[in-house]
Structures are given as C-alpha cells and as structure tokens.
Amino acid sequence: LWDCFDLAMKRSETLAISKEEIGRTLGSFLEASGEAIGDFDFQMTERRQDPQKGGGEDSNFSYYERRERKFVYSQPIFQGFRALGALSGAGSLKKQKTNEWERAKQLLFMDVVDAFYEYLRLERDIEVIEGILNLFGERIKELKGWEDIGRTRTSEVATARSRLEIFRAELAKAKGDLAAAKNLLSFLIGIPVETRELADEDIDAFSNESIDPLQLSLERPDVEASRQAVKTVRGALIVAQSDLWPKVTLDGNLYEHREGPQSGISWDTLVTMKVPLGKGGTTVGEVRDALSQWREAKLTYSLTQRTAEREITDAFDRWKSSSERYGSLEKAVAAAQENFNLQKDEYEHHLVSNLDVLEAMQVLFETRRDANEAFYDMKKNYWQLEVAKGRCCAEA
C-alpha cells in the first residue's frame, strides 16, 4: 500500500500543482518585504539644453550640459500599516498552502487505499466465485450419477445447472470490475499492475478507544489551512485600510558625481507626507470588499471545522460497525460451511433433498462474499478514519 502511495505521489499532477503553489508564496513574501524595506538605486543622468541668452555664468540654468551620478534611496516611514498587513498575509498564505498540500497528500492516499483494496477484494471475490463454481461442477456430476440410477429427478439437475450459470454471470461481472479497478490503480501509480503482486498487510484491530472530534478536527491540515486563510484575508484588509491613513516617505540622494553650481552638495533628503482626502469612494469600496472577504473566510473556517468534526465521527462509527460486521460474518462463514457439510452428508443418507443442499451451497457462497467485502470495507474504513483525523502521511 505504501509503495503504491509513493508512486502515486510522484505521478500525481494535482499534488505537484499544489506543491508549486507553496513556491509561489515566496514571491508574495518578497513583494511584501519590499513594501517595508524600500528601494535603493543607482542613477546616471546627462542633461543637454540650449544655452540661455543673457544668463550669468554661474547661473544654474546657463550650463547647457550637466552630468550626475547618484545613489537614490526611498524609504517608506509610515504607510498606514500596509507593510505589516502585506507581510502578515504573505506569511499566513505560505502556511495555508503548505497545509493544503498536506491535505492533498492525505486525500490522494485515500484514493490509493480505495483502489488498492478494491483490487484485492475483487481478486478474492473471483476466487470465491470460482470455488463455488467448482463445487457446483462436482455437484452436477454427482447428480447426473444419481439421475442415471433414478434417484434424482431431471429437474433437480436442471436447477443446479441454472444456478451454475447465474454464478458464471457473477464471475463475468467480477472480472469486469477487476479490470476497471486495475486500470484505476494503474492510473494513480503511473505503472501497470498486471505483473505486480499487491501484498496485503495487517492493521490494528478494533478497540473501544474514545475520540475527541473537536480536538482532532483542529489538528487537520485542511482546518489549519482554513484558519490561515482567515489571517491571509485579514492582511489584505489591513492593506486596503492603509489607503485611509497618511503616508510618510523619506527620499535620499547621495551624489557620486555632480556638475554645475551644486557640485559641492554631496547629499540631500526629502521627507514627504501625503494625506488622503478622497478617491471618489475607491478606497472605501476596497475596504468594504476586503471586510466582506474576511467575514466570508471566517465563516468558511467555521464550516470546515464543523465538517471535519462530522467526518471524524462518521468515520469512527463506520469503522466500528464494519469491524463488528466482519467479526460476525467470519463466524457466519464457519457456520455456513458446517451447514453445507451436514446437508451434503444428510442428502447421501436420504434425509434431505437436493434443493436443500443447493440452498446450503448458495448461502455459503453469499456469506463468503459478504465476509470478503466486510473485510476490505473494514480496512478502507480504518484508513478513512486516519485520514479523517488528519494523522496519516505525515512522513510521506
């Protein structure tokens, strides 16, 4: 199972896309960092102009050619918490995408579990059907012998043949389902499975352990991703609100080369304050939109958490019931096998009819198939519970 999951992780485009989204958050973080750090550039300029007639020789405007080389630094001192909101949102966005990737791995694992155990279930189901067909073949051969000596009616042989054909139809259907399951598993892991043996492995038996759905839901990656999404949208709200605050910026120039009357000035600074008075409702509209998205994200987080609690409870109940069902069906198989042996023996002693024996065979057949289905349902439900709790694939 885990080998198949490793192959599926390497092959899954969906998982790869989810992982790439984590890498994209680095760009968001660097962009947000730029809001706080500011800009630092080196500029070179060369200005030429028509000489001014009558201008003094020392006039700044009389030089028809001037060159400058300078370092320019622009530092935002206060932007209405814009940088803080951007950094906070970028950090929570990375955590959100990381947790979404973890949940995507868990869901992919559950897809592999379903395909893996469905393949094994159908293989075992085919073995059960072929076994019952062999029993029917032997039974029909024996009935023909009894028919020849007049001990068995021809209708009893016909009844056995009819049921034999029904089981052959079941076998054909099971083989078709097995082919579909094989194709699905091959699609997930990226390689054909015809020549590979799928090795089953034991899981922990059912125990009466209690669970805390609320605590377990808080540990799930998708719930944590939803919580981080609230922080991400909250950062976007702070960025939108920053346009309502005044902005203070420090610009500085350090001259490496300068010509003209100002050649002796090696640096200068400029502090600018910009007070927003109105943008025709644009800022207010952006703030209201961001506020609505923040409220929506909180509601989504609440829904995600409550859904996780329900899924954990449902998965636990399904695992409990499937474990109990399988235990009961194991006993039923043993009882059905004993009943068939007794019916067969009693038929040979003229105590029961052939129909009684055929009925016992059919019950045995159906009980074996039900037990096989319950066995793999129990395994699927076990891993479904682990996925619902968010406690699988941590090291994968």
Side-chain angles (χ1 to χ4, degrees):
L1 176 62
W2 291 101
D3 292 336
C4 289
F5 178 52
D6 289 338
L7 291 171
M9 284 202 302
K10 296 175 183 177
R11 188 63 187 89
S12 173
E13 295 89 351
T14 302
L15 196 62
I17 292 171
S18 181
K19 191 171 184 178
E20 287 300 322
E21 290 180 354
I22 300 176
R24 291 178 57 190
T25 60
L26 177 60
S28 300
F29 179 79
L30 295 176
E31 182 179 350
S33 300
E35 295 279 351
I37 297 175
D39 300 327
F40 187 66
D41 303 297
F42 179 72
Q43 293 183 1
M44 294 183 294
T45 61
E46 180 175 346
R47 180 176 180 181
R48 295 173 180 271
Q49 66 180 16
D50 184 34
Q52 182 177 349
K53 302 299 188 291
E57 186 176 338
D58 294 333
S59 172
N60 186 42
F61 299 101
S62 62
Y63 287 86
Y64 64 89
E65 183 178 358
R66 286 181 298 169
R67 299 179 183 86
E68 283 186 353
R69 295 192 297 269
K70 61 182 178 179
F71 295 94
V72 180
Y73 180 63
S74 179
Q75 171 63 56
I77 298 177
F78 180 73
Q79 291 184 306
F81 307 106
R82 182 184 185 90
L84 177 63
L87 285 170
S88 174
S92 58
L93 179 61
K94 182 177 181 180
K95 294 177 181 178
Q96 173 189 342
K97 295 301 181 181
T98 300
N99 280 281
E100 288 177 352
W101 178 64
E102 288 293 336
R103 189 57 181 171
K105 285 201 304 182
Q106 294 176 358
L107 296 179
L108 175 63
F109 174 73
M110 198 61 232
D111 289 340
V112 174
V113 165
D114 288 338
F116 183 85
Y117 284 125
E118 183 67 6
Y119 186 91
L120 292 178
R121 182 191 73 81
L122 289 167
E123 276 194 327
R124 176 57 182 159
D125 196 37
I126 289 174
E127 291 177 5
V128 173
I129 298 174
E130 289 176 341
I132 203 69
L133 285 174
N134 291 333
L135 283 177
F136 261 94
E138 294 174 0
R139 188 64 187 165
I140 291 174
K141 186 182 297 184
E142 183 179 349
L143 287 174
K144 285 183 177 179
W146 291 120
E147 182 185 13
D148 292 340
I149 61 176
R151 182 179 168 184
T152 297
R153 299 189 307 271
T154 305
S155 61
E156 292 181 350
V157 180
T159 300
R161 286 176 175 172
S162 173
R163 295 192 180 185
L164 176 66
E165 294 303 323
I166 292 175
F167 293 140
R168 284 178 177 170
E170 290 289 331
L171 178 62
K173 180 179 182 300
K175 287 183 176 180
D177 292 341
L178 178 64
K182 181 172 60 178
N183 293 336
L184 176 59
L185 185 58
S186 298
F187 171 79
L188 289 173
I189 66 179
I191 59 174
V193 296
E194 287 88 351
T195 59
R196 292 178 174 267
E197 180 181 0
L198 300 183
D200 200 0
E201 51 194 16
D202 294 332
I203 59 174
D204 296 334
F206 173 74
S207 63
N208 292 320
E209 66 170 323
S210 59
I211 60 172
D212 184 357
L214 176 59
Q215 181 60 37
L216 290 172
S217 67
L218 296 175
E219 299 173 2
R220 272 187 29 167
D222 56 333
V223 176
E224 178 61 20
S226 185
R227 189 176 73 88
Q228 294 296 333
V230 175
K231 292 185 177 181
T232 302
V233 179
R234 174 61 177 169
L237 175 60
I238 294 175
V239 172
Q241 290 174 332
S242 66
D243 287 338
L244 299 174
W245 291 77
K247 293 179 176 56
V248 181
T249 306
L250 171 65
D251 296 312
N253 298 311
L254 178 62
Y255 297 95
E256 191 270 334
H257 175 78
R258 205 175 191 189
E259 297 177 353
Q262 296 179 328
S263 59
I265 301 175
S266 60
W267 62 271
D268 58 48
T269 60
L270 174 66
V271 177
T272 305
M273 174 180 286
K274 181 180 179 182
V275 181
L277 299 179
K279 292 185 179 181
T282 301
T283 302
V284 175
E286 292 176 351
V287 171
R288 289 179 64 88
D289 182 61
L291 183 60
S292 296
Q293 292 183 24
W294 178 52
R295 291 170 178 168
E296 180 181 341
K298 291 198 296 182
L299 291 172
T300 301
Y301 170 55
S302 176
L303 177 60
T304 303
Q305 182 182 342
R306 292 196 307 112
T307 301
E309 291 181 41
R310 179 184 59 81
E311 289 176 353
I312 292 170
T313 303
D314 290 347
F316 181 79
D317 291 338
R318 282 195 298 268
W319 180 49
K320 179 179 178 180
S321 64
S322 63
S323 299
E324 294 174 349
R325 178 172 179 258
Y326 173 65
S328 297
L329 284 171
E330 277 281 272
K331 298 176 182 178
V333 169
Q337 181 67 56
E338 182 181 4
N339 178 57
F340 170 68
N341 294 335
L342 290 173
Q343 293 283 355
K344 184 178 179 182
D345 184 66
E346 291 175 354
Y347 177 77
E348 293 176 354
H349 292 82
H350 312 286
L351 298 176
V352 297
S353 68
N354 178 59
L355 293 178
D356 293 327
V357 179
L358 293 179
E359 184 67 25
M361 288 179 61
Q362 184 161 348
V363 170
L364 175 60
F365 161 73
E366 292 175 350
T367 306
R368 281 181 177 175
R369 293 190 73 187
D370 289 342
N372 178 59
E373 181 182 18
F375 175 71
Y376 287 107
D377 280 347
M378 179 185 65
K379 291 201 167 189
K380 290 180 184 179
N381 289 334
Y382 171 81
W383 288 116
Q384 183 68 60
L385 176 59
E386 293 300 300
V387 170
K389 294 190 294 187
R391 290 186 174 180
C392 75
C393 323
E395 299 179 358

